[in-house]
């Protein structure tokens, strides 16, 4: 299981770049300890792979275009394919640790278009209203499934037959998730194209964050008006385009502070945040410390 402390993105699509995710074994297991995660939260992102998770400790908030759900220790769930989401721990909840299985559905379905995919996979990943399937231990059926998910992280990669055992347990979990979500699958729901538009706008920001960016340029990237741009960010990301730009620039700044020896002045300009004085002010406001303090914390740690 890989310990994750930051997020990276694919060039082009800007989906999350999943480390060691291979076409012949499209699966990774990861562990996120949020006190050791850059910025202490996972920013807005998406990936084609589904995300099956279990909360080992603490309390985590999951945000999607439809709103927020809270997951305390012992709970878990699944984030559907290509769903925009971000996570942050509750400050007062103590040390938050999350365990994750992230896998392409082909890992359990096999060849694309086959009968297994048609009957068991597509009914979940093709439903627009199904962003997250939450699981809580106070529901007996869900508690049993949560126990299976928790135990699945104990499979040893060195054991004979690990890959087949893993596919087997994930298939069993998937069947139970399909059974539990049937009432939601029967609901009528149309795909909201605003999700695709906001992803195009995010991609534009990710590619041009170091430059001056206007709202009209962001909107044009998704063939939209400025009004539509503001609505897309409000409805999907629950923020404004300007605030998203600022937070993304700070995310890049955090990574550069932790991973490079560049000067504060260089980083502030490279991230599109202008002068070092303005950078310091905004950084303290959003991150809670100065850039220098942040650099010392991360470069002096063993994370």
């Amino acid at each position: 299981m890989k310990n994750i402390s930051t997020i990276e993105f694919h060039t082009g699509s800007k989906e999350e770049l999943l480390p060691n995710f291979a076409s012949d074994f499209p699966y990774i297991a990861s562990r996120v300890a949020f006190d050791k995660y850059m910025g202490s939260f996972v920013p807005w992102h998406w990936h084609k792979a589904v995300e099956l998770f279990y909360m080992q400790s603490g309390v985590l908030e999951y945000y999607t275009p439809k709103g927020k759900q809270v997951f305390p220790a012992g709970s878990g769930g699944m984030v559907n394919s290509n769903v925009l989401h971000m996570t942050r721990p509750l400050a007062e909840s103590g040390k938050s640790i999350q365990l994750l299985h992230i896998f392409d559905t082909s890992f359990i379905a096999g060849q694309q278009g086959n009968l297994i995919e048609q009957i068991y996979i597509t009914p979940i990943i093709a439903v627009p209203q199904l962003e997250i399937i939450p699981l809580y231990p106070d529901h007996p059926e869900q508690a049993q499934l949560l126990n299976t998910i928790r135990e699945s992280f104990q499979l040893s990669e060195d054991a004979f037959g690990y890959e087949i055992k893993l596919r087997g347990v994930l298939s069993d979990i998937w069947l139970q998730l399909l059974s539990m979500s049937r009432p939601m699958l029967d609901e009528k729901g149309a795909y909201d194209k605003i999700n695709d538009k906001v992803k195009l706008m995010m991609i534009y920001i990710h590619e041009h964050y170091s430059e001056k960016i206007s709202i009209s340029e962001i909107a044009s990237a998704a063939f939209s008006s400025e009004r539509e741009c503001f609505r897309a960010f409000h409805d999907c990301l629950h923020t404004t385009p300007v605030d998203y730009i600022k937070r993304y620039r700070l995310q890049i700044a955090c990574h550069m502070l932790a991973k490079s020896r560049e000067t504060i002045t260089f980083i502030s300009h490279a991230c599109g945040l202008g002068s070092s004085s303005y950078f310091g002010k905004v950084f303290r406001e959003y991150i809670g410390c100065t850039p220098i303090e942040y650099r010392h914390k991360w470069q002096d740690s063993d994370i």
Side-chain angles (χ1 to χ4, degrees):
M1 186 179 300
K2 185 176 178 62
N3 288 306
I4 303 295
S5 62
T6 187
I7 188 170
E8 297 182 31
F9 297 93
H10 278 286
T11 302
S13 71
K14 300 303 178 185
E15 291 179 40
E16 182 184 1
L17 178 61
L18 302 171
N20 304 319
F21 201 79
S23 59
D24 60 350
F25 194 69
Y27 164 87
I28 58 170
S30 61
R31 177 181 182 272
V32 179
F34 281 86
D35 62 325
K36 296 182 178 181
Y37 198 95
M38 290 185 192
S40 298
F41 75 99
V42 182
W44 285 102
H45 65 287
W46 72 93
H47 36 72
K48 181 177 179 289
V50 297
E51 180 176 305
L52 182 67
F53 66 93
Y54 179 82
M55 286 302 299
Q56 191 175 73
S57 62
V59 180
L60 196 64
E61 295 177 330
Y62 257 88
Y63 293 82
T64 67
K66 290 188 182 299
K68 178 183 76 172
Q69 295 198 56
V70 179
F71 294 92
S75 65
M78 191 201 77
V79 182
N80 214 344
S81 174
N82 286 316
V83 169
L84 277 165
H85 58 288
M86 71 162 285
T87 56
R88 73 168 77 245
L90 284 179
E92 65 274 16
S93 65
K95 188 175 182 179
S96 294
I97 298 177
Q98 182 188 31
L99 307 179
L100 302 105
H101 293 299
I102 302 178
F103 58 97
D104 191 282
T105 52
S106 64
F107 183 62
I108 58 175
Q111 186 177 2
Q112 186 176 6
N114 70 16
L115 197 60
I116 292 175
E117 182 184 68
Q118 293 175 41
I119 297 175
Y120 302 106
I121 305 299
T122 302
I124 287 183
I125 64 172
V127 176
Q129 66 269 27
L130 194 62
E131 294 181 335
I132 294 183
I133 302 175
L135 302 169
Y136 296 102
D138 51 347
H139 294 77
E141 185 184 17
Q142 295 179 19
Q144 185 176 356
L145 180 52
L146 282 165
N147 190 51
T148 302
I149 294 171
R150 179 181 57 80
E151 291 179 348
S152 69
F153 289 101
Q154 298 171 13
L155 288 173
S156 172
E157 295 181 30
D158 299 322
F160 176 73
Y162 162 73
E163 294 83 0
I164 291 178
K165 290 177 182 177
L166 175 64
R167 186 173 64 179
V169 73
L170 290 179
S171 297
D172 180 53
I173 290 168
W174 187 274
L175 273 178
Q176 293 184 62
L177 288 171
L178 177 60
S179 177
M180 288 179 185
S181 59
R182 282 196 180 278
M184 192 176 294
L185 300 181
D186 293 335
E187 294 177 7
K188 298 287 185 182
Y191 182 74
D192 191 350
K193 293 182 179 179
I194 196 172
N195 282 278
D196 291 333
K197 285 182 175 289
V198 82
K199 286 176 183 177
L200 289 172
M201 295 176 194
M202 289 169 68
I203 290 170
Y204 184 85
I205 292 169
H206 294 184
E207 291 178 339
H208 298 274
Y209 66 86
S210 63
E211 309 164 16
K212 265 192 170 183
I213 304 176
S214 69
I215 302 301
S216 62
E217 289 170 333
I218 298 171
S220 295
F223 310 100
S224 300
S225 66
E226 292 186 29
R227 183 178 179 180
E228 287 177 313
C229 175
F230 279 107
R231 185 171 70 86
F233 274 83
H234 178 271
D235 291 352
C236 288
L237 307 186
H238 320 298
T239 189
T240 66
V242 172
D243 196 58
Y244 182 84
I245 294 168
K246 191 179 294 182
R247 289 182 182 277
Y248 185 76
R249 285 168 170 165
L250 287 168
Q251 177 188 330
I252 298 297
C254 285
H255 190 270
M256 292 183 71
L257 286 165
K259 301 295 184 180
S260 78
R261 296 290 178 181
E262 298 291 355
T263 66
I264 301 301
T265 300
F266 177 88
I267 292 174
S268 65
H269 284 93
C271 295
L273 288 165
S275 69
S276 56
S277 59
Y278 175 73
F279 174 49
K281 176 185 175 183
V282 173
F283 196 92
R284 179 185 283 277
E285 178 186 348
Y286 281 78
I287 308 300
C289 62
T290 68
I292 292 293
E293 289 169 342
Y294 186 89
R295 167 169 274 173
H296 287 162
K297 172 188 174 182
W298 286 92
Q299 292 197 350
D300 293 344
S301 72
D302 59 356
I303 296 170

